[in-house]
Amino acid sequence: MISPFSKNIRIITFYVFVFVVLLNVIIFLKTQNDNTLINIQSADNYTHDELDVQVNKKYCGVETKNGCRFLFAYHMPEQETSSNRHFLAFTQIARQLNRTIVLTNVGQSRIWSARQLPFDFYYNVQAFQKKFPDVNFITQEEFKKWTKERHSKPNAIHANIENKKPKNTFKYVKTKPKVLKEMRRFDFTFNNSSSFLQINIGNKNSWIKEEGHRSMINFLENTLSLEAEVILVVHDKNYLIKTDDSIPYAKHLTEAAERIVRKLDQYIAIHWRMERAEVEMMPECAKRLVDYLNRLTSRTGIKNIYLATDYPLSRKPQSDTFHKLSNEHHQAMKILNSSFQLDTWISTHSLDYLKEYTALERPLKDELKGGGLQGIVDKLILINATYFVSGPKGCCRILSKYTRRVVDERKELVKKGVTRIKNVVDRW
Ligand SMILES: *[C@@H]1O[C@H](CO)[C@@H](O)[C@H](O)[C@H]1NC(C)=O
Ligand SMILES: *[C@@H]1O[C@H](CO)[C@@H](O)[C@H](O)[C@H]1NC(C)=O
Ligand SMILES: *[C@@H]1O[C@H](CO)[C@@H](O)[C@H](O)[C@H]1NC(C)=O
Ligand SMILES: *[C@@H]1O[C@H](CO)[C@@H](O)[C@H](O)[C@H]1NC(C)=O
Ligand SMILES: *[C@@H]1O[C@H](CO)[C@@H](O)[C@H](O)[C@H]1NC(C)=O
Ligand SMILES: *[C@@H]1O[C@H](CO)[C@@H](O)[C@H](O)[C@H]1NC(C)=O
């Protein structure tokens, strides 16, 4: 018989054994994983400053203790079409400031550090780099590692660009807890109260003209000429740096669109953004669209109709700012869908290939419930449509930047002599 005492000994021995095994496993894994620049043992021979120099060299190529300079536009408040241009504008500023630009994460139609997809999932970084051959890029992931590996943490300044008066002034403001919370995934230090700036650039009218615009940009660049290793920058919705240029889309997205464009060949593309339309008008709008399509299809003989919409083709609306879906919206879609066979990103299976990206399974699942990737592919399909039609006042959001971008691109193609395109835009 085993005495209770020796039973305890056995149990203790067992746990000690398990503990030792686990400890060894952990040590083994740690040494395996440690592919940082300097391993633990040899690190003893360097001072922290010397190690930081090595870390800087690895991430920004500068061999000094505080020599890295980054600009991190970490949150574009608007949807993709606008954010795209704003991000490009910040890249121009990064060039002026001689700073590396952090390629902020993307997702659900935003360029935002809190999102899960890497920047290159929306954008063609190689083509973007060609536009800015003299600007260094770093991915958000690498940038984050830099902050983590540093012994003395990089110092940061936060600049909030607001459309407030007096224009072209700045002041120090209180730290915003929301910002600090969002920045927790990185490892910065903010020295003190002068680390938070509010930059006032006045209202839109004051810099809509060329001269005001130029002086606003100069002011921004001067104010942001700071010593801090990291400048975090965020802006108001109305802030607008004028640029006709935009960041080109990732190859997998342009190729997905090209497959559909080839398949549809001759097609009428409809853009119906229902958000901010007048709800009671929805069914009437659908009837008018059906009449319009009847006339256009019988005149041209074109059978293929492609629909891009924020109406929920899957489950959620295809736009995260579209919250109030009503019976009228459903009615309108029924009227349209029962009159014509419509192609959409779902019916064409244009995004089915995303299943291959198994490592991004979770974020991609969220993405397809929102409007990011499908919004981009839709846009590329609309741009190349034989006929493009968008809603009249009341039926849709009429001043959409998304529609504007499609129209501008179509104008360009017509100018270049692409004869397949028969109109620029029509309102049904
Ligand atoms: C660290 O310093 C010790 C003692 O000076 C020396 O024996 C060892 O080789 C050094 N290690 C490295 C990696 O330089
Ligand atoms: C720009 O920054 C790099 C290091 O990041 C430095 O070597 C270079 O001299 C700077 N150029 C100018 C014009 O300041
Ligand atoms: C904050 O830090 C900066 C840079 O170290 C320094 O010039 C400034 O005087 C400090 N401000 C306050 C209020 O401590
Ligand atoms: C923060 O303080 C340190 C030490 O005084 C200084 O070197 C650094 O430039 C300061 N950073 C900012 C952003 O003011
Ligand atoms: C649209 O047409 C242009 C000009 O023909 C072409 O270069 C581009 O690849 C097309 N885009 C798509 C998505 O088909
Ligand atoms: C249109 O109807 C078909 C079948 O009747 C359905 O599969 C499709 O999802 C509908 N499309 C829209 C945009 O509601």
Side-chain angles (χ1 to χ4, degrees):
M1 208 183 106
I2 301 164
S3 77
F5 178 74
S6 71
K7 194 176 166 194
N8 277 347
I9 293 276
R10 277 197 188 189
I11 290 171
I12 289 168
T13 314
F14 174 73
Y15 279 116
V16 166
F17 174 75
V18 168
F19 176 76
V20 169
V21 168
L22 277 179
L23 199 65
N24 275 300
V25 167
I26 288 167
I27 288 169
F28 174 76
L29 286 178
K30 198 141 173 64
T31 49
Q32 290 297 301
N33 262 338
D34 210 338
N35 54 2
T36 47
L37 207 69
I38 293 145
N39 69 39
I40 290 165
Q41 265 176 342
S42 66
D44 288 346
N45 291 8
Y46 294 91
T47 65
H48 281 177
D49 281 357
E50 285 167 338
L51 289 171
D52 280 349
V53 169
Q54 298 297 319
V55 174
N56 285 349
K57 184 179 167 196
K58 178 172 161 193
Y59 289 98
C60 79
V62 172
E63 289 185 65
T64 58
K65 184 179 153 232
N66 293 315
C68 289
R69 295 283 179 273
F70 292 107
L71 183 74
F72 187 15
Y74 67 94
H75 188 179
M76 307 277 124
E78 294 172 279
Q79 296 206 21
E80 195 279 323
T81 305
S82 298
S83 297
N84 183 321
R85 290 191 170 174
H86 285 315
F87 196 86
L88 187 136
F90 277 121
T91 310
Q92 289 167 347
I93 290 181
R95 174 165 58 197
Q96 283 314 112
L97 300 175
N98 192 25
R99 281 177 180 268
T100 298
I101 188 130
V102 180
L103 300 176
T104 309
N105 277 5
V106 296
Q108 286 158 52
S109 201
R110 292 293 189 287
I111 300 176
W112 183 10
S113 64
R115 297 297 200 220
Q116 304 298 319
L117 296 171
F119 186 84
D120 69 359
F121 216 80
Y122 277 10
Y123 302 110
N124 184 335
V125 173
Q126 268 175 320
F128 186 30
Q129 181 78 77
K130 259 195 199 146
K131 287 180 191 282
F132 293 91
D134 48 351
V135 177
N136 290 329
F137 293 169
I138 189 170
T139 63
Q140 182 177 314
E141 194 53 37
E142 287 291 295
F143 173 71
K144 181 172 145 189
K145 282 194 209 153
W146 170 69
T147 68
K148 297 281 175 199
E149 288 178 25
R150 277 276 297 265
H151 286 84
S152 99
K153 294 304 174 185
N155 57 74
I157 283 193
H158 186 272
N160 190 0
I161 300 169
E162 299 215 32
N163 294 108
K164 288 190 178 146
K165 288 183 200 162
K167 84 167 181 182
N168 296 351
T169 60
F170 73 90
K171 60 177 184 182
Y172 296 111
V173 289
K174 277 218 282 272
T175 60
K176 293 201 168 90
K178 214 177 94 191
V179 172
L180 292 179
K181 194 169 163 227
E182 187 172 341
M183 285 303 129
R184 234 184 262 157
R185 69 172 65 82
F186 306 98
D187 231 340
F188 310 125
T189 59
F190 295 100
N191 271 3
N192 55 37
S193 55
S194 53
S195 302
F196 286 79
L197 287 178
Q198 177 182 316
I199 302 180
N200 300 319
I201 56 169
N203 67 26
K204 211 164 167 172
N205 292 337
S206 69
W207 35 264
I208 206 85
K209 290 211 186 87
E210 193 54 41
E211 199 184 321
H213 187 253
R214 193 58 244 164
S215 77
M216 183 265 279
I217 302 287
N218 280 341
F219 175 74
L220 266 186
E221 287 170 0
N222 288 334
T223 314
L224 294 175
S225 296
L226 299 161
E227 270 306 304
E229 295 178 87
V230 178
I231 296 178
L232 300 162
V233 66
V234 69
H235 68 85
D236 250 9
K237 275 200 167 155
N238 288 323
Y239 167 71
L240 185 84
I241 286 186
K242 283 184 217 157
T243 169
D244 293 331
D245 209 352
S246 56
I247 310 169
Y249 292 118
K251 224 169 171 180
H252 71 97
L253 296 174
T254 55
E255 284 171 359
E258 276 161 12
R259 283 193 294 273
I260 306 304
V261 168
R262 268 200 306 275
K263 203 158 87 185
L264 295 175
D265 188 26
Q266 300 271 308
Y267 61 101
I268 298 164
I270 307 160
H271 183 223
W272 194 351
R273 180 144 190 208
M274 294 183 172
E275 181 195 353
R276 296 202 213 169
E278 285 167 37
V279 175
E280 330 71 68
M281 279 180 71
M282 285 289 101
E284 188 52 37
C285 290
K287 282 180 201 150
R288 273 162 60 182
L289 175 56
V290 169
D291 287 345
Y292 175 92
L293 290 173
N294 273 328
R295 286 195 304 274
L296 187 58
T297 50
S298 65
R299 179 162 70 81
T300 61
I302 294 175
K303 296 247 162 27
N304 291 330
I305 299 174
Y306 188 88
L307 173 68
T309 180
D310 55 354
Y311 179 84
L313 295 173
S314 53
R315 267 169 299 156
K316 265 175 71 179
Q318 311 289 299
S319 160
D320 65 358
T321 52
F322 188 12
H323 303 295
K324 289 193 212 96
L325 197 64
S326 72
N327 206 19
E328 281 85 352
H329 292 115
H330 298 306
Q331 239 180 307
M333 194 48 68
K334 220 180 234 167
I335 292 169
L336 183 59
N337 197 26
S338 61
S339 308
F340 292 96
Q341 194 189 326
L342 301 170
D343 271 318
T344 62
W345 68 272
I346 292 191
S347 77
T348 54
H349 302 280
S350 58
L351 295 176
D352 288 3
Y353 75 95
L354 292 175
K355 284 205 273 300
E356 291 163 24
Y357 295 88
T358 46
L360 294 171
E361 191 183 341
R362 278 282 307 267
L364 283 175
K365 214 172 138 201
D366 290 341
E367 182 75 8
L368 293 181
K369 286 190 227 151
L373 290 168
Q374 55 272 54
I376 294 172
V377 171
D378 273 351
K379 179 158 48 181
L380 295 169
I381 294 173
L382 298 181
I383 288 168
N384 278 28
T386 321
Y387 288 93
F388 174 56
V389 55
S390 185
K393 208 165 170 215
C395 292
C396 71
R397 186 178 174 184
I398 195 118
L399 289 174
S400 145
K401 290 194 183 110
Y402 183 101
T403 317
R404 253 271 281 299
R405 171 87 190 272
V406 173
V407 168
D408 289 347
E409 296 276 339
R410 288 174 66 79
K411 266 188 204 149
E412 275 304 304
L413 289 180
V414 169
K415 228 193 264 169
K416 277 192 203 149
V418 177
T419 53
R420 211 161 52 80
I421 294 177
K422 302 295 183 202
N423 78 342
V424 172
V425 59
D426 209 356
R427 301 275 175 186
W428 74 72

